[in-house]
Amino acid sequence: MGVFNRLIRRIKSMFKINSDTGKVFGVDIISSDDMKQALKSWNEIVKAKPIWAGRDDIKTVNIAGLVSDTRAKLTTLDIGITVSGSPRAEYLQKVVDKMLKVLPDRLSDGDSLGGMMIKFNGDGWDFVLPGNFGITAVNGEEITGAIFATNITRGINSFTRLEYHRFEGDIYKVSNKAFRNSRTASGDVTLGVEVDLTTVSEWAEIIPEAEISGLEHPLFAYYRVPGTNIVDRDSPLGLSVFAKAIAELRATDIAISRKDTEIEDSKHLTFVGQALVKNAQAKNIDLPRFVVGLGMGVNDNDTSAIHEHVPTIQTDARIKDINFNLSLVGVKCGFSAGYFVLDGQTGMITATQVEADDRDTIQTIKTERDALRTAIEQAIYGADALATLYNLAPIGSYELNFNFGDITYNYEEDKASWRYYVSQGWMPIWKYFVKFEGMSEEEAKALVAEAADANMTDAAKRLFDSE
């Protein structure tokens, strides 16, 4: 069993990019101790393992994960990307559709760690989080050089492939090297001996050195969470969406843990002297479940020694404190005040009301969508370049069109608007049936035609009756 556990730990522990990784290619990794520590902290928090959990009976409810998921969900709400203009565009459309299927979940991961790399691999998409890539060159705000790490396990061995992207003059180069990993005495995974790429079947077709000319941007794109990096202003990396609210996240966990403990201890109990318990046992009497023997103590031999435990429950006060912290978490994470509180808005509200109440949320999501769009555009640019390099599709131009859903959308308000449009003759009624009644276009048009025939027949009958 011990050998098995060691094997599991070995498989789960993979090589991460560190400051020494660049030496493989003779370059330096741009990093700082402050960012390393911050990334470690954010990662532990979003995985429900914050430093404060487990201390003094404090549990975590992982509000940080909720914040990341909510930001990603709103940002990618009903996102649509169309690529048009040529046969190359048709190929890229299929590539983009693959991205959109997994984008919300991957964006949530990226939001929790301040950003992520998006890179086309010739078949699908790699969404690479900090720790699995190292930055080697920056031009202004654009990352132009990076090393990516990919891990694969084969039996008791693990392998790492390093993929180094950079510009050398006007030429864009990609170098690939593979290593059989080693382990230090402390258990850390390090690069061991270099092996041929063909050692791992999944890497056998990868070119060790590739060159592309005429590129203006890298083959990868970095999505960066918008905002100033207050941890390290010189770092090209972004800040976690909950980085400014860590104190409030801790306070929320404490408040909820205290409330839960209070409820758990709220069971009504009656403590009685040991003599009374023995007397009941001697007479074969079953005491009620809420009666507990007090044991040795004052008046223990007095059968009338009864002590009531009346728990104090401060749930209302606790919830007020929790809501205060939750509201502050939301504000510090870019949402409108009250977005995450336990007793928020109820009842039907209009989109206009939502827009007025959630102005901060709307602006935050708009800013994040702009950053995501920029990153996706560059990632598609990289996919287009790879398609040319490996002759994956005919060469041709393409045009991108983005569409995002309205986060203030109200179904009933939208339905009423469409009814008004139909009544004014601005829209055919069959479109209303398709959108709101779940009909297919054929079913809706057939229903409209049938209704028109019925109305015409009724009119004809009235005509003949009048004659």
Side-chain angles (χ1 to χ4, degrees), residues 270-294 303 305-306:
T270 300
F271 295 97
V272 299
Q274 191 65 27
L276 191 150
V277 174
K278 289 182 178 179
N279 183 47
Q281 291 174 343
K283 296 179 179 179
N284 200 27
I285 298 174
D286 292 330
L287 293 172
R289 63 167 184 80
F290 56 83
V291 175
V292 178
L294 187 58
T303 57
I306 299 176

Side-chain angles (χ1 to χ4, degrees), residues 79 81 99 103 118 372-380 402:
I79 183 174
I81 304 175
M99 175 197 290
L103 184 60
I118 307 175
L372 180 63
R373 175 172 179 161
T374 299
I376 291 177
E377 286 176 343
Q378 184 169 322
I380 295 174
F402 285 75

Side-chain angles (χ1 to χ4, degrees), residues 65-208:
L66 174 63
V67 169
S68 298
D69 287 345
T70 302
R71 283 272 293 252
K73 179 180 68 175
L74 292 178
T75 299
T76 59
L77 179 66
D78 290 335
I79 183 174
I81 304 175
T82 56
V83 192
S84 58
S86 67
R88 169 63 63 89
E90 295 176 5
Y91 167 78
L92 291 176
Q93 182 67 67
K94 296 178 182 178
V95 168
V96 169
D97 290 343
K98 287 185 178 181
M99 175 197 290
L100 295 181
K101 289 180 180 179
V102 297
L103 184 60
D105 289 341
R106 300 290 80 80
L107 182 61
S108 178
D109 294 335
D111 277 345
S112 66
L113 295 179
M116 63 181 176
M117 289 288 190
I118 307 175
K119 181 169 64 72
F120 185 61
N121 58 28
D123 179 44
W125 293 92
D126 296 328
F127 298 87
V128 191
L129 297 174
N132 288 324
F133 69 85
I135 300 169
T136 61
V138 178
N139 182 13
E141 296 184 353
E142 182 181 36
I143 298 173
T144 56
I147 299 174
F148 300 91
T150 302
N151 299 292
I152 284 183
T153 298
R154 288 289 180 271
I156 63 172
N157 293 315
S158 65
F159 298 86
T160 293
R161 177 172 61 87
L162 296 181
E163 184 178 309
Y164 177 31
H165 292 241
R166 77 279 188 192
F167 282 98
E168 292 185 5
D170 295 332
I171 303 299
Y172 188 85
K173 294 187 177 183
V174 181
S175 302
N176 283 278
K177 293 186 178 183
F179 300 84
R180 180 180 287 108
N181 295 329
S182 300
R183 185 178 292 276
T184 65
S186 61
D188 295 330
V189 177
T190 61
L191 294 178
V193 62
E194 184 174 353
V195 298
D196 194 270
L197 288 166
T198 57
T199 304
V200 178
S201 58
E202 287 85 348
W203 302 340
E205 301 299 323
I206 294 177
I207 303 173

Side-chain angles (χ1 to χ4, degrees), residues 7-8 87 111 155 169 213 251 256 264 273 277 301 304 342 367 403 428 450-451:
L7 177 60
I8 291 296
D111 277 345
S213 59
I256 293 177
E264 190 174 334
V277 174
N301 292 321
S304 64
L342 301 180
T367 303
N403 181 58
E450 183 180 346

